[in-house]
Amino acid sequence: MPPKYHTQTASAPNRFPAVTRSGVIAWEEGCLKCARCVKKECVYKVYETRALDERQMLDSLDSACQDCFRCVQNCPARLIQKGVNPTYRTIGDHYWTPEILANIWSQAETGKIPVSGAGYGGPFSGPGFDAMWTDMSEIVRPTRDGIHGREYISTTVDLGRKLMALRFDEQGDLTHPVPPLVEIPVPFIFDILPFSPPKRRILRAFLRAATDLGTFVVVKESEWLPPYERYLPNTILLLDRGPDARNGHLLDRMRMVEVPDNPAVTEWLEMLKEKKPDLLVAIRMPLTPAAAARIAELTREGAEIIHLVADEFGMEEADEPFFIKDRLKEVHLSLVDKGLRDQITIIAGGGIAMAEHMAKVIICGADAVSCDIPLLVAMECRVCRRCTQGIACPVELEEVDPAWGSRRIKNLMAGWHNQLLEIMGAMGMREVRRLRGEMGRAMFFEDLEREFASLGARKTETPQ
Ligand code: SF4
Ligand code: SF4
């Protein structure tokens, strides 16, 4: 694999006891007081080192146990049992489930893809991304081994506006300027967090990781600080105060900025291009039912990148909201119909919680994805949202060491990148750019349901 696609991983142990799925239940009542208690035989010294973490009220029994079942099997009075750790069930919410959080923590710690050992244990259908399956038909072809080295799979994406044709004068010189294009080796950028404790150190971890991975971090101009200056080439400054940026002098060293969508956005774009013609300008817009029409309009007016943002559960802003994948399909297909799709880059984010979500958003029409909460989870966030109420973070994220945080984020993204390669290898895809909008290579629950319903209807209409 070329070095630009390879992310160095290194173990980055947890700072706090992890919340694990299974816990140990050890009853004292009925204990036979064996001379040689099975608890002493635990090779991981779980009972001998037992302690309570008072910051999180977690019993170390649950996080340190390695599930070997030795003590469970050998206690003569059957007083030791294994069960689901009650704390585990309380973390996260309906979308950021304990399984998703545990999966992210494991990848962030090791840089490796978690292996279940007993096959896939997740749902085969459900809401959101679980209602979509990717085509893995090429998995049986041993010649397609882009994952393991004979050929490589490119995960590079281009950010910027693309020309549909080049025009030359009689001397063979181009008659028009070529818009700037930036290539990133991975199809993701890091986005603004919907919640976090004070984030100076967190942001520094993001910036370090993005720089090492060759990608970008979106940073609000109002949160920009001089110590971040060395990361400017990998920063997308969100000019939330408009193009007359207070930090306008930074633009010289930047490759890309973002501006919020608004009625004057085309003029803002022109003003920024006047200041720096090779600056990429992305237009940030919330995901709404009006997205397809608005993006088509902006593409015709010369926009180069759209950053579409759903909420933290992947939902759009609407009374009856669509999920990100569904609205994105509409946006992509509408641009294809109008002959505009190849001119514009679409970055989409919100609710991206797993590697497969990244692949699915690209299949539904995004060129790249933006990732937010998983980066915080990589640094042990429990998605408890106490920080939104000004309550102390149980894992002290405001004090995180940026070097450790960036290592955890790189580990996670290396795991996601490897899974993306697995998915593309199994689909017979050599380039993530070709994955964009490949909806024919996926199945959608609602389509299948419609097809089966129509089969049933046809059968009842058949004359006897
Ligand atoms: S199940 Fe194994 S690792 Fe866990 S406490 Fe018992 S002996 Fe130790
Ligand atoms: S663990 Fe809770 S308080 Fe800390 S950052 Fe995460 S959501 Fe906020």
Side-chain angles (χ1 to χ4, degrees), residues 72-148:
V72 177
Q73 283 179 325
N74 294 341
C75 174
R78 293 279 181 266
L79 293 178
I80 302 175
Q81 293 159 22
K82 294 281 291 172
V84 174
N85 175 2
T87 310
Y88 181 78
R89 282 280 154 235
T90 64
I91 55 172
D93 55 39
H94 73 283
Y95 191 91
W96 298 91
T97 60
E99 289 75 20
I100 285 180
L101 302 187
N103 187 296
I104 293 174
W105 292 331
S106 160
Q107 291 178 79
E109 186 178 8
T110 63
K112 295 183 181 137
I113 304 171
V115 181
S116 69
Y120 173 70
F124 283 93
S125 181
F129 288 116
D130 289 337
M132 177 181 175
W133 303 278
T134 51
D135 164 15
M136 299 284 182
S137 57
E138 301 281 336
I139 206 163
V140 292
R141 297 194 188 186
T143 50
R144 298 269 187 179
D145 81 342
I147 309 151
H148 303 294

Side-chain angles (χ1 to χ4, degrees), residues 42 44 46-47 65-71:
C42 171
Y44 302 102
V46 167
Y47 297 97
C65 174
Q66 300 297 314
D67 294 335
C68 74
F69 282 83
R70 188 172 171 177
C71 62

Side-chain angles (χ1 to χ4, degrees), residues 36-248:
R36 198 158 163 223
C37 176
V38 288
K39 294 179 184 174
K40 293 208 175 85
E41 289 170 14
C42 171
V43 289
Y44 302 102
K45 310 249 179 283
V46 167
Y47 297 97
E48 286 170 43
T49 56
R50 183 175 187 178
L52 181 73
D53 182 275
E54 284 171 7
R55 289 164 298 186
Q56 303 181 90
M57 293 307 286
L58 286 182
D59 188 334
S60 69
L61 263 190
D62 295 328
S63 56
C65 174
Q66 300 297 314
D67 294 335
C68 74
F69 282 83
R70 188 172 171 177
C71 62
V72 177
Q73 283 179 325
N74 294 341
C75 174
R78 293 279 181 266
L79 293 178
I80 302 175
Q81 293 159 22
K82 294 281 291 172
V84 174
N85 175 2
T87 310
Y88 181 78
R89 282 280 154 235
T90 64
I91 55 172
D93 55 39
H94 73 283
Y95 191 91
W96 298 91
T97 60
E99 289 75 20
I100 285 180
L101 302 187
N103 187 296
I104 293 174
W105 292 331
S106 160
Q107 291 178 79
E109 186 178 8
T110 63
K112 295 183 181 137
I113 304 171
V115 181
S116 69
Y120 173 70
F124 283 93
S125 181
F129 288 116
D130 289 337
M132 177 181 175
W133 303 278
T134 51
D135 164 15
M136 299 284 182
S137 57
E138 301 281 336
I139 206 163
V140 292
R141 297 194 188 186
T143 50
R144 298 269 187 179
D145 81 342
I147 309 151
H148 303 294
R150 251 188 298 179
E151 297 171 43
Y152 71 86
I153 296 174
S154 165
T155 53
T156 293
V157 287
D158 303 310
L159 307 179
R161 189 174 173 92
K162 284 125 204 156
L163 293 174
M164 292 299 96
L166 297 175
R167 287 187 302 279
F168 299 91
D169 62 17
E170 283 168 9
Q171 282 72 45
D173 296 324
L174 277 171
T175 59
H176 51 82
V178 177
L181 212 58
V182 168
E183 196 183 87
I184 51 174
V186 283
F188 51 77
I189 64 166
F190 300 160
D191 204 7
I192 295 162
L193 289 167
F195 53 80
S196 85
K199 56 170 153 328
R200 291 170 80 128
R201 287 168 159 266
I202 295 170
L203 202 47
R204 206 182 257 263
F206 280 27
L207 287 161
R208 279 177 80 136
T211 303
D212 289 351
L213 293 166
T215 184
F216 289 100
V217 188
V218 183
V219 183
K220 282 185 191 168
E221 197 208 348
S222 48
E223 291 176 352
W224 176 261
L225 291 170
Y228 306 147
E229 285 216 22
R230 57 189 282 222
Y231 303 110
L232 276 175
N234 295 86
T235 300
I236 299 171
L237 205 60
L238 172 61
L239 304 177
D240 39 357
R241 302 160 201 229
D244 292 324
R246 185 187 53 170
N247 293 307

Side-chain angles (χ1 to χ4, degrees), residues 95 127-132 323-325 351-352 356-357 360-361:
Y95 191 91
F129 288 116
D130 289 337
M132 177 181 175
F323 187 64
I324 184 170
K325 77 172 188 359
I352 310 292
E356 63 170 78
H357 299 173
K360 287 176 176 176
V361 162

